[in-house]
Amino acid sequence: MRAKARASGVIFRPHVKTHKTVEIARMQHGGAVGPITVSTLAEGEFFADAGFRDITYAVPIALEKLDRAAALARRIERLNLLIDSEPALRALEKHGGPFDVFLKVDCGYHRAGVELSDPRGMTLAAEMARSLAVRFRGLLTHAGHSYHARNAEEIRAVARQETACLTRFRALLSTIGIGDLLRSAGSTPTMSVVERFDDVDEIRPGNYVFYDAFQATVGSCRRSDCAVSVLATVIGSYPDRGEAIVDAGALALSKDLGPDHIDPHFGYGIVCDLDLHPLDVRLVALSQEHGKLRAKKPPAVGEQLRILPNHSCLTAAMFDTYHVIEAGRIIDQWHPVRGW
Amino acid sequence: MRAKARASGVIFRPHVKTHKTVEIARMQHGGAVGPITVSTLAEGEFFADAGFRDITYAVPIALEKLDRAAALARRIERLNLLIDSEPALRALEKHGGPFDVFLKVDCGYHRAGVELSDPRGMTLAAEMARSLAVRFRGLLTHAGHSYHARNAEEIRAVARQETACLTRFRALLSTIGIGDLLRSAGSTPTMSVVERFDDVDEIRPGNYVFYDAFQATVGSCRRSDCAVSVLATVIGSYPDRGEAIVDAGALALSKDLGPDHIDPHFGYGIVCDLDLHPLDVRLVALSQEHGKLRAKKPPAVGEQLRILPNHSCLTAAMFDTYHVIEAGRIIDQWHPVRGW
């Protein structure tokens, strides 16, 4: 991803919420520190402590966190905040600032952001450009609707929409005299399927660093690209009903349903390391500490299975430690930051 | 729950996996230590450190954890393990023991356990009674299928099944000379709806200590009985599409779907503290750090909302700290154990 960003001449600002570790963030930048994206202030503070100096906090900020954000901003070169509303701009102004700020743009996901078709977005941008409390750095979008795609071709259509939306918005703003805005885009599916990054100035993919069962199913990657898994032990086996129980439940895997828009019975992850076709084994239910498998030939008590999680970001956040494996041996342990 | 157990003359052994704190475990026993149930060895070790001496580890043990379990058992008066298979019994025998052991019985949930109708359950019980490696303490079941009920009447039917199954199994075993077995039952719905505990020797409810949106919907409790909630801030408001975004996502609430067998569009928790009928606000989607609300009149940026989680056990495990509130003031902070 880094090589593709460099070849395309765009800023590479990976989202570190997927792994939340200093070790992997440095790997993403070839062993050095570099620009990153975070999803919580706790992540921002943790990575600042580790020497990261250029951080985008890519969730619209809760207004009671402005003091903490300002304190973090003073410790590093740049903390970019995200806003998409007048009340947020007013709160930044009341606080004083100046804050580095991106305007969040909705390119079709309809979670957060202003829409290109809505004149209030233009009005807000104009006020941001005028405000003394903010340094208006650019337009930021997240094509989360790429996760609704069913194959790489559908993802590519969302990728074109993602960058076109930013480019059009920037062109509109230049007609009212607002220039020099960065276009920042990011979603692992869209960043994975394109050959190069055109019509954009910065990319922020996160999940690509691990991938997962979901990404492999929608077409972002191959299953063999997935880099994180949960090792579980069979603690019950019931061949009569074609089921087995493993010691990985909702607190080990998360209850993310994965690509259920492609397969409503996908289950809670993909079981590997079995001499079975993966489709023969489904992780059909999770309770707090139990996972239930259904299989024609269920594994025996004591067997260990590797499970590719549906959503590696959520699963990784459940653990205090990564066991880092090379050629079948544990060579290191890494510890993610947690909380908010 | 404690008073009802005492009035019924049964052992009260609450499951502490719901809260994972010493403070609440002591409250459950009226300020003292007492018998408890745990779902991980990490919980067992944590509560042993805090003085709890009589612990049931109510998940069939993964065989590679026997050394750790034996070490824990040596530190306290009694650690009860759970088995439901020959390979597990063989592993206990190979390890040496002696271990205190319950036979896990399947009373209809079909997760773990031996079935009353299956002669292999009787055979395993007979081998446990003969084995020098185990002290066969009793029969343990969990009526997890009470969570499929739609009202208190349906829960009561499961409650009768739960205790009847243990009583019949015990009677069968007494015909082959195996006596003195405790009947241990536990699920919050079944323990909540009965007036007293008949036909059982020990109860192990856990979730009752907090309850949650799920329990209030299936009929275990009233909504006003729910004791744990997540305070979230509105970080985006989009009245045109009747939506708002809060800063509580999948890592704050868990992706548990709640009582979707009663309402497929239930959403990811119940939003309170709004001057709106609760049905007017739905928490329709969660991503890692965003929660999306749908409402006729969405709350404004900066408003704070209290969310009753769908599954309080999973939600509580997401946090490092409980803020304990009395009469609107934070009076204490408690810290749960984590991991396995």
Side-chain angles (χ1 to χ4, degrees):
Chain A
M1 196 63 82
R2 184 166 50 99
K4 195 159 69 168
R6 194 192 293 138
S8 307
V10 303
I11 300 166
F12 182 49
R13 185 186 290 279
H15 208 316
V16 298
K17 76 179 174 75
T18 299
H19 54 81
K20 300 188 185 227
T21 67
V22 171
E23 292 84 353
I24 300 176
R26 291 185 65 98
M27 286 169 67
Q28 289 177 293
H29 283 295
V33 301
I36 56 171
T37 308
V38 300
S39 68
T40 64
L41 281 180
E43 290 167 24
E45 291 157 350
F46 174 80
F47 285 96
D49 289 344
F52 288 81
R53 315 288 301 158
D54 182 0
I55 299 176
T56 295
Y57 175 33
V59 177
I61 188 161
L63 304 182
E64 72 272 18
K65 291 180 181 160
L66 281 179
D67 281 345
R68 234 176 108 194
L72 173 58
R74 281 192 293 273
R75 292 168 52 196
I76 60 178
E77 283 167 27
R78 181 179 293 132
L79 177 70
N80 298 309
L81 301 182
L82 206 61
I83 66 172
D84 73 354
S85 72
E86 287 263 357
L89 178 59
R90 293 289 98 80
L92 294 181
E93 287 175 334
K94 196 170 162 200
H95 193 280
F99 292 96
D100 291 288
V101 172
F102 277 76
L103 175 63
K104 174 83 189 232
V105 175
D106 181 358
C107 67
Y109 182 30
H110 305 320
R111 187 176 65 181
V114 297
E115 289 187 59
L116 186 58
S117 59
D118 185 343
R120 286 170 297 188
M122 293 286 286
T123 308
L124 178 60
E127 289 181 13
M128 288 169 68
R130 267 198 305 273
S131 174
L132 298 176
V134 306
R135 290 185 286 257
F136 188 8
R137 305 250 309 137
L139 307 174
L140 183 149
T141 199
H142 168 62
H145 51 314
S146 62
Y147 285 75
H148 306 152
R150 283 163 298 181
N151 53 56
E153 197 41 59
E154 289 184 12
I155 297 172
R156 271 188 280 272
V158 176
R160 287 188 291 272
Q161 190 184 9
E162 183 178 27
T163 52
C165 172
L166 291 177
T167 299
R168 267 188 242 132
F169 210 122
R170 190 177 65 165
L172 268 176
L173 290 176
S174 78
T175 66
I176 58 168
I178 304 171
D180 291 330
L181 293 177
L182 285 173
R183 294 164 298 174
S184 176
S187 96
T188 281
T190 57
M191 302 290 117
S192 295
V193 300
V194 299
E195 293 294 316
R196 56 174 282 126
F197 305 114
D198 294 318
D199 273 331
V200 69
D201 304 302
E202 170 178 285
I203 63 157
R204 310 180 324 279
N207 180 281
Y208 82 93
V209 83
F210 288 152
Y211 286 124
D212 52 32
F214 184 100
Q215 301 281 356
T217 305
V218 298
S220 304
C221 66
R222 292 160 304 177
R223 195 172 285 179
S224 56
D225 293 326
C226 297
V228 75
S229 63
V230 173
L231 186 65
T233 299
V234 177
I235 55 172
S237 186
Y238 314 94
D240 294 352
R241 53 180 157 101
E243 291 181 344
I245 303 286
V246 294
D247 66 347
L251 286 190
L253 292 165
S254 99
K255 292 196 84 164
D256 196 285
L257 291 174
D260 61 338
H261 64 299
I262 292 177
D263 177 356
H265 304 291
F266 189 82
Y268 292 96
I270 294 175
V271 178
C272 325
D273 284 1
L274 274 182
D275 287 337
L276 291 162
H277 190 277
L279 289 180
D280 283 347
V281 186
R282 299 254 176 172
L283 194 46
V284 294
L286 299 180
S287 40
Q288 186 162 343
E289 297 293 350
H290 300 73
K292 182 193 269 194
L293 303 178
R294 201 159 284 156
K296 276 184 196 155
K297 191 170 169 294
V301 169
E303 278 192 58
Q304 293 198 313
L305 314 174
R306 198 167 284 286
I307 298 168
L308 293 186
N310 279 347
H311 189 165
S312 58
C313 312
L314 300 189
T315 300
M318 301 291 176
F319 292 84
D320 281 333
T321 305
Y322 293 90
H323 292 91
V324 187
I325 297 183
E326 197 169 72
R329 282 184 47 247
I330 296 173
I331 56 162
D332 211 345
Q333 296 193 14
W334 297 337
H335 302 287
V337 65
R338 188 174 186 234
W340 292 273
Chain B
M1 196 63 83
R2 183 167 50 98
K4 194 158 70 169
R6 194 192 293 137
S8 307
V10 303
I11 300 165
F12 182 49
R13 185 186 291 279
H15 208 317
V16 298
K17 76 180 174 73
T18 299
H19 55 82
K20 301 187 185 227
T21 67
V22 171
E23 292 84 352
I24 300 177
R26 292 185 65 100
M27 286 170 68
Q28 289 177 294
H29 283 295
V33 301
I36 57 171
T37 309
V38 301
S39 68
T40 65
L41 281 180
E43 290 167 24
E45 291 157 351
F46 174 80
F47 285 97
D49 289 345
F52 288 80
R53 316 288 300 157
D54 181 1
I55 299 176
T56 294
Y57 175 33
V59 176
I61 188 161
L63 304 182
E64 73 271 19
K65 291 180 180 158
L66 281 179
D67 282 345
R68 235 177 108 194
L72 173 57
R74 281 191 294 273
R75 293 169 51 197
I76 59 177
E77 283 168 26
R78 181 180 292 133
L79 177 70
N80 298 310
L81 301 181
L82 205 62
I83 67 172
D84 73 354
S85 72
E86 287 263 355
L89 178 60
R90 293 289 99 80
L92 293 182
E93 288 176 333
K94 196 170 163 200
H95 193 280
F99 292 95
D100 290 287
V101 172
F102 277 76
L103 175 63
K104 173 84 189 228
V105 175
D106 181 357
C107 66
Y109 182 31
H110 305 320
R111 187 176 66 182
V114 297
E115 289 186 58
L116 186 59
S117 60
D118 185 343
R120 286 171 297 188
M122 293 286 286
T123 307
L124 178 59
E127 290 181 12
M128 288 167 69
R130 267 198 306 270
S131 174
L132 299 175
V134 306
R135 288 185 286 256
F136 188 7
R137 304 249 310 136
L139 307 174
L140 183 148
T141 199
H142 168 62
H145 51 314
S146 62
Y147 285 74
H148 307 152
R150 283 163 297 180
N151 53 55
E153 197 41 58
E154 290 184 12
I155 297 172
R156 271 188 280 271
V158 175
R160 287 188 292 271
Q161 191 184 11
E162 184 178 27
T163 51
C165 172
L166 292 176
T167 300
R168 265 187 243 134
F169 210 122
R170 190 177 65 163
L172 268 177
L173 290 176
S174 78
T175 65
I176 57 168
I178 303 171
D180 291 329
L181 293 177
L182 285 174
R183 294 163 300 174
S184 176
S187 96
T188 281
T190 56
M191 303 290 116
S192 295
V193 300
V194 299
E195 293 295 317
R196 56 174 282 126
F197 306 115
D198 294 317
D199 273 332
V200 68
D201 304 302
E202 171 179 281
I203 62 156
R204 310 180 325 277
N207 180 280
Y208 82 93
V209 83
F210 289 152
Y211 284 124
D212 52 31
F214 184 99
Q215 300 281 357
T217 305
V218 298
S220 304
C221 66
R222 293 162 304 178
R223 197 173 283 179
S224 56
D225 293 326
C226 297
V228 76
S229 64
V230 173
L231 185 65
T233 298
V234 177
I235 55 174
S237 186
Y238 315 95
D240 294 352
R241 52 180 158 101
E243 291 180 345
I245 303 287
V246 294
D247 66 347
L251 286 190
L253 292 166
S254 100
K255 293 196 84 164
D256 196 285
L257 291 174
D260 62 337
H261 64 300
I262 292 176
D263 177 356
H265 305 291
F266 189 81
Y268 292 97
I270 294 175
V271 177
C272 324
D273 284 0
L274 274 182
D275 286 337
L276 290 162
H277 189 277
L279 289 180
D280 283 346
V281 186
R282 298 252 176 174
L283 195 47
V284 294
L286 298 181
S287 39
Q288 186 161 344
E289 297 293 350
H290 301 73
K292 183 193 270 194
L293 303 179
R294 201 158 284 155
K296 276 184 197 156
K297 191 169 169 294
V301 168
E303 279 192 58
Q304 293 197 313
L305 314 174
R306 199 167 284 285
I307 299 168
L308 293 185
N310 279 347
H311 189 165
S312 57
C313 312
L314 301 188
T315 300
M318 301 290 177
F319 292 84
D320 281 332
T321 305
Y322 292 90
H323 292 91
V324 186
I325 297 183
E326 196 170 71
R329 283 182 49 245
I330 296 172
I331 56 163
D332 211 345
Q333 297 193 15
W334 297 337
H335 303 288
V337 65
R338 188 173 185 236
W340 292 273

